[in-house]
Amino acid sequence: MPSSPQHPAPAPKGLSGADAENLALYREKFRSRLPESLDELHGPTHGLVELPLHLAWSGMTSYDLGKPRQRMGLYRTVLHEGLHDDLPRYLNRDLLLQLWPVLRTLVGRTVRTVWEDAFPQLASRTRAAA
């Protein structure tokens, strides 16, 4: 069963109560930002994308989607820093599905788990690519 606010993913063994609670709060931070469906993701698939400072506060603000490394960097940044309204604006469903098998290795474990729990088609893309 996917994790949800009512059924959070189990905490790794060996975590203290406070650490487990912090991990649950960290997961909920990303879970609360998710779209209802990947079909809501209508972001660009080509061209230059300029991110606002609340997303790109520590690095590049401009990404060329025609360059694979920049495209991957954009998606990594938006998955980690994007708020609920940013995800449909900057992420594209088809591109996310295409990039996911590699992208999932570039994002943190919590982000990866939250997205794959919410959207089983991402996890299935990973198994298909293996």
Side-chain angles (χ1 to χ4, degrees):
M1 171 192 302
S3 62
S4 68
Q6 295 80 23
H7 302 284
K13 292 180 182 180
L15 285 181
S16 71
D19 288 339
E21 185 176 333
N22 287 340
L23 180 58
L25 289 171
Y26 189 60
R27 284 180 177 150
E28 183 53 32
K29 172 181 118 171
F30 291 106
R31 196 176 295 115
S32 68
R33 298 174 180 185
L34 293 174
E36 290 292 319
S37 164
L38 292 181
D39 292 334
E40 294 178 27
L41 304 178
H42 295 289
T45 58
H46 62 278
L48 197 61
V49 176
E50 298 284 337
L51 291 181
L53 287 178
H54 76 273
L55 288 174
W57 53 268
S58 68
M60 289 177 57
T61 58
S62 181
Y63 295 85
D64 182 346
L65 292 177
K67 296 181 177 180
R69 289 178 63 101
Q70 288 189 29
R71 184 172 51 236
M72 201 68 76
L74 170 77
Y75 272 63
R76 182 178 183 274
T77 298
V78 173
L79 288 171
H80 276 276
E81 304 297 335
L83 302 175
H84 181 76
D85 291 342
D86 295 320
L87 301 177
R89 178 177 296 147
Y90 296 107
L91 300 180
N92 177 277
R93 176 197 175 278
D94 294 337
L95 196 49
L96 177 65
L97 289 168
Q98 176 189 338
L99 296 176
W100 190 255
V102 173
L103 183 60
R104 72 181 303 276
T105 68
L106 302 176
V107 298
R109 181 181 307 163
T110 301
V111 171
R112 178 176 58 245
T113 301
V114 165
W115 278 81
E116 288 182 350
D117 283 352
F119 306 110
Q121 61 267 52
L122 292 174
S124 68
R125 296 277 302 181
T126 300
R127 287 190 296 275

